Amino acid sequence: MAYVVVFPDHDSFERGHQCLASSPVYLKTLQPPVFCTGLVAPTILVTGITAFILEELKSRGVSVSGMVPYAPFKKTIPKADPPSPLWCEAVGDLSIRVIEASVSDSVRLRAEVETENDLGPLIPLVACLIRGGSYRPDLPALTFEEEHRLLAIARDRIVFSRSDDLLDFWTMLRSMIDLIVAAWERRSILEPERQPRQGVGAIEVFKRLPGTNCGECGSANCMEFATRLFMGRCQIEKCPTIFEPKWTRNFESLQWLISAIGVSGLPQGCSGTNSTSQRIAGS
């Protein structure tokens, strides 16, 4: 099976390509679309044993964001100019921290992109340009839906959940960067949004639960528990299943989500409000 190796930045790509070029695997460089010029590094298409490829890169000290199965893109590559050079001033260098299967939809992708600049001052301005969604001015954090996707902005990262494929992630990244740049350009005239919003519903909570409908939480099923959790009538700890090791990713995603949208269902000591470095938003 063929996979696409995604790297955090251009330096990691160069080192990774040099490393794999001398290994017994087929590889081909895949350039990102023109509209993502500079935003992301090229990727490498490889065929071979996944564990061997990752171990080879790890042994050479090469950082990898993730490996995703290769498949033809679901849509035609959009034609657009490279991003405005202003993105460098607005967000600074970008680094793809992780790209992996989404927790809430395993056939789609979740990508987390770190920003060099602190986006905190810009998030209240971006919130002015976005209708709906959930907004926490105290964090600050903005989480909103774009069709079937869930997108989020925190101080030092942007998260893209349920992207159709790598092309869809690239397209959403460019759109998000354009949105942030628009807020940055108008920072002297925009009035920061100060009112919190809770526009992400209980279904997003449900998508992160184990879905076993075991009843141990006292609810009839996971959807009922999600609704109670969303309405602040219970806490995550009422679901013992989600604390099992195999559900760690679900718990991490749910932990951030209910904090980001202002739901009071976190266990004591898991407020999630003091660090934007933890995994964020809607896998």
Side-chain angles (χ1 to χ4, degrees):
M1 186 174 182
Y3 287 86
V4 178
V5 184
V6 181
F7 298 92
D9 47 44
H10 289 78
D11 180 63
S12 297
F13 161 74
E14 293 293 347
R15 296 176 61 206
H17 188 277
Q18 183 178 17
C19 171
L20 294 178
S22 60
S23 65
V25 298
Y26 167 82
L27 69 151
K28 178 182 179 181
T29 299
L30 300 178
Q31 295 289 343
V34 172
F35 62 77
C36 267
T37 300
L39 298 180
V40 294
T43 59
I44 298 179
L45 172 65
V46 298
T47 57
I49 302 174
T50 307
F52 167 80
I53 295 170
L54 291 175
E55 185 58 37
E56 184 73 7
L57 292 169
K58 182 179 178 180
S59 67
R60 304 285 187 90
V62 179
S63 297
V64 175
S65 304
M67 292 182 66
V68 298
Y70 172 76
F73 293 141
K74 295 179 174 65
K75 297 179 181 178
T76 302
I77 299 178
K79 293 183 179 180
D81 294 330
S84 164
L86 292 175
W87 75 265
C88 298
E89 297 182 56
V91 302
D93 289 338
L94 300 177
S95 175
I96 303 176
R97 182 178 180 185
V98 65
I99 187 164
E100 59 193 356
S102 169
V103 167
S104 56
D105 188 341
S106 60
V107 301
R108 291 189 165 102
L109 299 176
R110 172 191 184 274
E112 187 174 323
V113 178
E114 265 186 350
T115 64
E116 180 183 20
N117 294 353
D118 179 4
L119 300 182
L122 292 178
I123 294 175
L125 305 181
V126 175
C128 293
L129 304 177
I130 291 289
R131 292 186 178 183
S134 288
Y135 172 56
R136 289 282 305 275
D138 55 324
L139 291 179
L142 176 66
T143 307
F144 61 96
E145 295 170 302
E146 176 63 33
E147 296 183 347
H148 56 271
R149 310 169 193 87
L150 189 69
L151 311 177
I153 312 175
R155 282 190 175 276
D156 62 351
R157 67 200 59 217
I158 312 168
V159 169
F160 306 82
S161 299
R162 299 193 293 270
S163 293
D164 292 330
D165 51 26
L166 200 54
L167 174 60
D168 190 53
F169 158 58
W170 286 331
T171 304
M172 288 297 101
L173 174 61
R174 169 61 190 272
S175 298
M176 189 71 87
I177 293 300
D178 284 350
L179 178 64
I180 294 171
V181 168
W184 183 83
E185 287 185 291
R186 299 168 63 185
R187 63 193 183 279
S188 62
I189 59 174
L190 283 176
E191 183 68 26
E193 179 62 65
R194 304 186 190 282
Q195 295 300 315
R197 302 197 295 253
Q198 192 183 75
V200 175
I203 190 66
E204 287 295 340
V205 175
F206 170 72
K207 288 177 179 178
R208 289 155 182 79
L209 295 176
T212 57
N213 296 324
C214 64
E216 290 189 45
C217 60
S219 301
N221 51 52
C222 289
M223 188 64 230
E224 181 181 313
F225 176 70
T227 303
R228 291 174 59 205
L229 188 62
F230 178 76
M231 296 178 70
R233 295 179 178 174
C234 66
Q235 295 188 328
I236 298 179
E237 56 198 8
K238 289 289 186 179
C239 174
T241 305
I242 203 168
F243 292 94
E244 296 175 5
K246 68 177 180 179
W247 299 108
T248 297
R249 285 190 63 212
N250 295 64
F251 174 71
E252 290 174 340
S253 179
L254 182 57
Q255 179 184 355
W256 188 90
L257 179 73
I258 67 175
S259 174
I261 64 179
V263 173
S264 58
L266 286 168
Q268 190 173 14
C270 293
S271 66
T273 59
N274 297 322
S275 174
T276 57
S277 64
Q278 65 185 114
R279 296 169 63 87
I280 94 165
S283 295

